[in-house]
Amino acid sequence: MTNVTRDFSPNIARGRGQVRLGRDAEEVRYLAAAPRLGRGVALVAALLLASSCVDDGPGALDASALAGAVRAPALEVVAISLPDVGNGGEPVPMQAPPGELLLVYFGYTSCPDVCPTTMSDLKVALDGLPDALASRVTVAMTTVDPERDTDEVLTGYLGFFFDDNSMALRAANPDTLAEAAEAFGVTWEIEAHSPGDAYMVAHTAVTYVVDDTGTVVVEWPFGFTPADMTNDLQILLTKEPT
Amino acid sequence: MNHPLSTRRPLALAAVAVLAATGLLAACGDDDDAADATTAPAASIEVTAAWARTSPKVAGAGALYMAIANAGGVDDALVGVSVDPSVAKMAALHETVAVPADTTTGTAGTGETLMEMRPVDRIVAPANGSVALEPGGYHVMLMELAEPLVVGNTFDVTLSFEASGDVQVTADIRDTAP
C-alpha cells in the first residue's frame, strides 16, 4: 500500500459511504469505502483469504492489493465503441492497447466540482507514476451532456488536464451513449431546462480502469485519493502478462 | 455594501441581522460604538485556505473552497457570496451529495450512486467549531466564468455571514487543494 497523503473529509466520506457499486447479487469488494481502521482490518482479512485459497504464482495479479473496487464478475466493455471527437469522431473500442490501461469516466464540462476534481486527481495520480508507466495510460472522458459539450469544448477540456494521453468521447446518437452507459453501469439525470438556460447534471462519478481485453479491472469512486489510484495503476501496469 | 450578485434571501437575512443588532445596541443604551457591544456571546469568523481550482478555457463553471472557523460562542452561517463580474457572472452556495440512482427511470445501472449538486441556503459554522467547503461537499459554484482561472492568480470574494456580516477573502487559484 502506498502512503495516504490526503485524509478523507467528512463530506467526501459521507458521499463515499453511500457509494454502491454492486448490482443485485453481484459481489463487490470495496475496501476503500470503509473507515481507515475498518479498511485495514478488511485488507488483512482479504490478504489472509488470498493467501489461503488463491494460487498467486509469480506475476499473478494480487487483486487484494488493489485499493479500488473489484467487481465479480467483472464488467466486460469490449463490445462498446464511442466516437473520439478529438480524432475525427472515429469510434474507439473500450479496450486499452496491448499492455496498457484505459481510464473511462462519464461526466460533463459544465460540472464545477466533481468532474474537475476527478480529472485533477487523475492527473496527480499519473504524475505519481514513472514516465514509462504513465505513458501506458490513456484517460477517456465520455460526456453525458452532448448538448453543451460540443466536440471542441470536450476536446479542449481534456487537453487542459492531459496532453496527448486522453480521448474526448462524445456520442451524438443518444442510443450509442445509453448503450455505453449501460455497459458500465453509469446513470445520469439532466435537470429540466429551457433551451439556453444553465442546468445541472447528476451522474455516476466512477472512474473505470479498463485493460487490454476490455475488462474493467478496478473501479474508483469519487473521492478516491490520487495516492490510491497511483497504487492501483502501478500494480496493474507492472504485473506479468498472463 | 453593494451585493450585485447575492440572492434575495441572504440580503433579507442580513437585513434581519442588522435590525436585530441595532435593537440590541439600543437596548444596551450604547448606540454610538458597535465595538463595545461584544459582552454577549458572538460569532467570530475566520476564513482560511480559500482556493479555486484552475479551469480549462472551455469550462464555464468553477468551484471555490475554503475553511471557515468560528471561535465565537454562538453559531453563525454563510448565507451569501459574491465575486466581481470580471471573475464570474454568478456565485452561489452549493453542496455535492451522493444519491441513489432512480431505480425506476434510470437509464442503466440500478443501484448506482449519482453525484448531484444542490443549491444550499446556508452553511452553518457552529459555535467553537468549523465547517469546510471542499471538493465533493459544500462549495461555492462560480457560474459563467469571465476568464479561465489561471494557476497562481488570485481573486477577491465577499462572503456574507448571518451574524458576522460581510467577510472579504482572497482566493488562490490552484491545481490541487492546499
Side-chain angles (χ1 to χ4, degrees):
Chain A
M1 298 296 296
T2 59
N3 292 324
V4 175
T5 56
R6 189 177 82 188
D7 206 356
F8 294 120
S9 67
N11 279 324
I12 288 179
R14 188 178 60 216
R16 289 162 55 84
Q18 295 177 5
V19 169
R20 293 199 305 268
L21 293 172
R23 288 203 280 174
D24 302 328
E26 290 177 353
E27 177 203 346
V28 174
R29 183 161 43 74
Y30 184 32
L31 301 173
R36 284 289 149 189
L37 179 60
R39 180 179 163 185
V41 172
L43 186 57
V44 169
L47 287 169
L48 286 172
L49 277 173
S51 61
S52 62
C53 58
V54 175
D55 177 21
D56 48 354
L61 172 62
D62 179 9
S64 65
L66 293 173
V70 178
R71 204 188 286 247
L75 295 175
E76 300 293 343
V77 293
V78 67
I80 299 299
S81 289
L82 286 164
D84 177 4
V85 295
N87 189 24
E90 187 179 336
V92 290
M94 295 297 96
Q95 176 182 18
E100 301 192 6
L101 293 172
L102 178 64
L103 312 185
V104 183
Y105 180 82
F106 291 75
Y108 69 113
T109 70
S110 306
C111 168
D113 180 35
V114 170
C115 304
T117 297
T118 301
M119 291 300 116
S120 178
D121 285 350
L122 291 174
K123 182 180 188 325
V124 172
L126 291 175
D127 288 347
L129 287 173
D131 287 349
L133 296 185
S135 65
R136 289 159 53 199
V137 180
T138 301
V139 177
M141 177 163 146
T142 305
T143 181
V144 293
D145 183 20
E147 178 181 336
R148 284 180 297 192
D149 289 343
T150 62
D151 295 358
E152 293 72 23
V153 166
L154 191 63
T155 306
Y157 189 81
L158 268 295
F160 173 82
F161 290 101
F162 310 98
D163 295 327
D164 295 332
N165 55 342
S166 66
M167 293 196 295
L169 306 179
R170 178 181 182 273
N173 181 342
D175 292 342
T176 305
L177 175 58
E179 186 188 2
E182 181 166 7
F184 283 93
V186 164
T187 314
W188 74 99
E189 292 167 9
I190 294 178
E191 185 182 20
H193 61 279
S194 303
D197 281 358
Y199 54 91
M200 288 183 275
V201 183
H203 60 100
T204 306
V206 174
T207 301
Y208 303 89
V209 182
V210 181
D211 72 5
D212 57 7
T213 68
T215 298
V216 177
V217 288
V218 68
E219 300 169 35
W220 300 328
F222 178 76
F224 209 66
T225 68
D228 280 344
M229 294 176 182
T230 303
N231 168 75
D232 286 4
L233 291 173
Q234 185 109 30
I235 291 169
L236 293 167
L237 290 166
T238 54
K239 70 176 175 125
E240 299 285 328
T242 48
Chain B
M1 184 59 63
N2 184 21
H3 295 274
L5 303 169
S6 298
T7 62
R8 301 176 74 90
R9 180 173 169 79
L11 276 175
L13 288 167
V16 169
V18 167
L19 284 173
T22 308
L24 280 172
L25 291 172
C28 294
D30 181 9
D31 56 1
D32 59 356
D33 189 355
D36 287 346
T38 53
T39 49
S44 175
I45 291 294
E46 187 185 16
V47 178
T48 53
W51 71 284
R53 196 182 298 285
T54 52
S55 71
K57 250 182 204 134
V58 294
L64 170 64
Y65 310 102
M66 69 196 74
I68 301 171
N70 179 4
V74 295
D75 290 356
D76 202 348
L78 177 61
V79 292
V81 57
S82 63
V83 296
D84 193 85
S86 64
V87 177
K89 189 173 176 187
M90 277 190 293
L93 304 179
H94 275 235
E95 182 180 20
T96 297
V97 288
V99 296
D102 187 329
T103 53
T104 55
T105 62
T107 310
T110 52
E112 297 290 338
T113 295
L114 300 186
M115 300 304 285
E116 180 179 280
M117 276 196 319
R118 296 173 181 166
V120 291
D121 289 335
R122 54 205 300 276
I123 298 173
V124 174
N128 299 305
S130 62
V131 62
L133 278 64
E134 58 198 352
Y138 289 126
H139 58 274
V140 174
M141 180 177 177
L142 304 172
M143 285 166 274
E144 300 190 45
L145 292 172
E147 298 282 340
L149 300 174
V150 177
V151 67
N153 287 357
T154 63
F155 61 92
D156 294 331
V157 182
T158 302
L159 303 170
S160 300
F161 287 88
E162 217 165 59
S164 301
D166 283 356
V167 174
Q168 309 284 338
V169 298
T170 299
D172 294 329
I173 300 173
R174 304 171 53 94
D175 278 329
T176 55

